[in-house]
Amino acid sequence: MTEQRLPDPALVVLVGASGSGKSTWAEQRYRAAEVVSSDALRGVVGSGRHDLDASTEAFALLDQIVAGRVRRGLTTVVDTLGLDADRRRGYLDLGRRHGLPTVVVAFDVPPALCRQRNAVRDRPVPAPVLAQQLRTARSVVDALAGEGWDHVVVLTDDAPAPAAPEPAATPEPPTGFGVVLQVSRFPWGEDPAGWLREVALAADACGFAGIALMDHLIQIPQVGTAWEPIPEPWVTLGMLAGLDTRLRLGTLVTPVTFRPPGITAKAAATLDVLSGGRAFVGVGAGWWEREHAGFGLAFPPAKQRLDALEAGIETMRALWAAGTKAYDGEHVALPETTSYPRPVHDIPVVVGGGGERRTLRIAARLGDACNVRLTADDADLDHKVAVLRRHCAAVGRDPAEVEVTVLDLPVVGTDRDDTWERVERLRGRTAAATYARAHHAGTAAEHRERYARLAERGVGTVFAALPDLAGPDDVLRLGAAVQSV
Ligand code: CTP
Ligand code: MG
């Protein structure tokens, strides 16, 4: 029996005679709280799992719990016999009403196996009752295809399929695909340099392609509180360059409003020289007025900031190019371009932001890469990539020259329970299902598979920022996903 990949979250309704293996299957795949079992609720409202007198109340509770979870978009497994067509219809309607994929899993196991398992249980179901269940189950299995479920899974024997896909099943991403650790929070306690060192060494050890530092003057509310440390990135990258790693080093992203672009060009060229050609520059238009005001920096309107982004990239490229001759570009003129040391490799410029009219056009014209925030919806990325491609065509740029990169904020758990605890801890006031979706909450194996799929969709680099990065152990937790990519 091979098992197809089921949607998650989903409403999963189990169907099968007693002893067909429903509860066992659910327990192997889902968190205890996700499985709502009529037997267990008989034990809650009645004397025990077999207290049939408590059935009416147990099912009333079950319906209430299932409705509450489905309304919240939470994965729910209905563990009952599932043989009643009206009840199935009710679950199907409920799932549809709340936009949760509906799955029915039927356990069509050989009757002899059911009887055999039943016989050795503490309180076997009477033989005639089981016989009736088996007959009904058989006819229900045939009816399921016509009931309207999003997925119908019929399990025909008792060999449990692997819960997680085998590593070998994941397609190999193309060469060049990499995951860069984006560090946006710095809970370094009393030992800033030691913390940075350990985080970087962990990232290098488990195969990250690089480290990108967020560039803000005050910690942004999306990440932490304003009094948490947020170091100047070029100084910090200089320190990281001194470690013995292969990590590429850069910003994601530096606002063009913070430093005159010539100064950023100088910093990046210096970093490139000191790191042996590992520097990159992620650059954007800036967005947070407060940090500009607080640091005495101008914060012009968006159009001017985007003009500055365009001019800034031109300036950097002019100062990195060979020679010292005057530069006369589209937006910038420099009387000379004398800037030494010159970088030791072509420093990639990653243009941050998904603005469709200007930002992606700037990326198409001047960037080596664009960077867009990954959302819960796959279609968003495909749309941004299509817009980028159109801009490339309009400005006569080969789209292969502009790498698509994404900013991903994954919640990574060691297993399903741990993943969910992290979601609960991190979600603030956001509904858990919404938060889990936006952060693609899952195990390292699930992220690994997701990254392989992103590579297939044309993504060259994932910048991954852990919302709960506290230290090197967290890097290693995500590293399990990266190593195997
Ligand atoms: N079992 C097994 N191998 C499986 C599945 C189940 O040996 N692949 C055993 C279980 O250990 C259990 C019995 O078969 O002792 C019944 O399995 P269970 O999952 O409890 O079956 P259910 O369909 O949940 O039965 P019920 O409707 O009575 O709850
Ligand atoms: Mg059961």
Side-chain angles (χ1 to χ4, degrees):
M1 154 179 87
T2 48
E3 214 169 290
Q4 72 197 78
R5 200 178 172 73
L6 298 180
D8 187 28
L11 172 59
V12 181
V13 175
L14 308 185
V15 169
S18 204
S20 59
K22 303 180 296 296
S23 301
T24 306
W25 181 90
E27 192 191 313
Q28 286 168 353
R29 285 160 185 79
Y30 295 94
R31 298 168 48 241
E34 291 170 330
V35 182
V36 190
S37 144
S38 49
D39 281 351
L41 289 170
R42 279 191 192 96
V44 171
V45 75
S47 63
R49 316 175 56 81
H50 303 281
D51 186 353
L52 295 180
D53 289 342
S55 284
T56 305
E57 283 156 294
F59 271 93
L61 281 174
L62 181 134
D63 286 344
Q64 194 178 349
I65 295 168
V66 170
R69 293 188 60 87
V70 169
R71 179 159 45 82
R72 292 180 174 82
L74 301 170
T75 284
T76 307
V77 181
V78 182
D79 182 9
T80 66
L81 291 175
L83 301 177
D84 182 315
D86 289 342
R87 296 197 70 87
R88 285 200 306 280
R89 178 86 238 161
Y91 300 134
L92 188 59
D93 290 345
L94 179 73
R96 282 187 182 157
R97 227 171 21 251
H98 296 285
L100 207 55
T102 55
V103 179
V104 68
V105 181
F107 294 75
D108 194 17
V109 304
L113 183 61
C114 265
R115 282 193 209 97
Q116 185 191 328
R117 286 182 188 157
N118 181 55
V120 297
R121 291 176 107 177
D122 285 354
R123 310 221 357 195
V125 176
V129 175
L130 184 61
Q132 180 56 44
Q133 286 179 7
L134 286 164
R135 275 194 299 277
T136 313
R138 191 77 272 297
S139 66
V140 169
V141 168
D142 295 333
L144 292 175
E147 289 185 357
W149 301 88
D150 295 322
H151 297 264
V152 177
V153 180
V154 180
L155 305 179
T156 49
D157 66 32
D158 65 333
E166 294 297 330
T170 304
E172 281 296 313
T175 28
F177 177 84
V179 183
V180 171
L181 181 72
Q182 196 234 22
V183 184
S184 57
R185 50 201 319 275
F186 299 84
W188 55 29
E190 300 299 306
D191 185 14
W195 187 89
L196 286 164
R197 184 172 174 280
E198 293 308 313
V199 165
L201 293 180
D204 191 46
C206 58
F208 283 93
I211 285 191
L213 299 184
M214 191 169 80
D215 189 5
H216 280 290
L217 300 168
I218 301 173
Q219 179 57 285
I220 58 173
Q222 294 89 330
V223 177
T225 58
W227 53 90
E228 283 166 24
I230 174 85
E232 202 286 329
W234 297 105
V235 172
T236 312
L237 291 165
M239 181 237 144
L240 295 177
L243 302 174
D244 185 20
T245 75
R246 299 159 297 115
L247 297 166
R248 296 168 59 200
L249 301 168
T251 49
L252 195 79
V253 298
T254 191
V256 74
T257 45
F258 282 6
R259 303 167 194 81
I263 304 304
T264 304
K266 176 65 91 174
T270 307
L271 179 69
D272 202 51
V273 168
L274 297 182
S275 67
R278 291 183 283 135
F280 65 89
V281 177
V283 63
W287 54 266
W288 200 26
E289 186 165 14
R290 174 177 161 190
E291 61 186 343
H292 292 80
F295 280 71
L297 298 172
F299 186 71
K303 181 188 178 310
Q304 284 173 46
R305 299 201 308 278
L306 287 159
D307 289 345
L309 176 62
E310 205 158 18
I313 299 172
E314 263 194 36
T315 304
M316 291 193 295
R317 291 214 187 278
L319 291 169
W320 290 335
T324 60
K325 57 189 179 301
Y327 175 77
D328 193 11
E330 195 156 328
H331 303 279
V332 183
L334 304 169
E336 61 176 320
T337 49
T338 312
S339 178
Y340 293 93
R342 280 223 303 274
V344 296
H345 90 309
D346 287 336
I347 298 178
V349 174
V350 183
V351 179
E356 294 180 13
R357 206 176 59 79
R358 288 269 335 253
T359 311
L360 289 175
R361 189 180 172 87
I362 294 171
R365 201 170 81 77
L366 295 169
D368 298 296
C370 69
N371 180 261
V372 297
R373 169 80 191 267
L374 206 59
T375 65
D377 191 349
D378 280 359
D380 291 344
L381 174 64
D382 296 337
H383 174 70
K384 298 287 182 198
V385 171
V387 172
L388 176 74
R389 300 280 184 253
R390 277 205 296 280
H391 283 309
C392 284
V395 302
R397 183 97 185 271
D398 177 359
E401 289 178 12
V402 190
E403 184 185 318
V404 175
T405 77
V406 294
L407 175 60
D408 183 38
L409 277 66
V411 169
V412 189
T414 50
D415 58 25
R416 204 171 165 88
D417 275 318
D418 182 56
T419 303
W420 202 255
E421 275 166 33
R422 288 174 195 280
V423 167
E424 266 303 281
R425 206 157 53 234
L426 291 165
R427 70 183 178 86
R429 290 186 187 159
T430 307
T434 307
Y435 187 91
R437 237 164 78 77
H439 295 269
H440 305 274
T443 60
E446 286 163 334
H447 289 296
R448 182 177 150 281
E449 202 184 274
R450 187 167 62 86
Y451 289 161
R453 286 200 305 271
L454 284 173
E456 283 176 345
R457 285 167 58 213
V459 171
T461 301
V462 171
F463 290 90
L466 286 165
D468 55 355
L469 174 67
D473 288 349
D474 301 300
V475 177
L476 297 175
R477 194 157 38 80
L478 176 60
V482 172
Q483 228 157 19
S484 31
V485 177

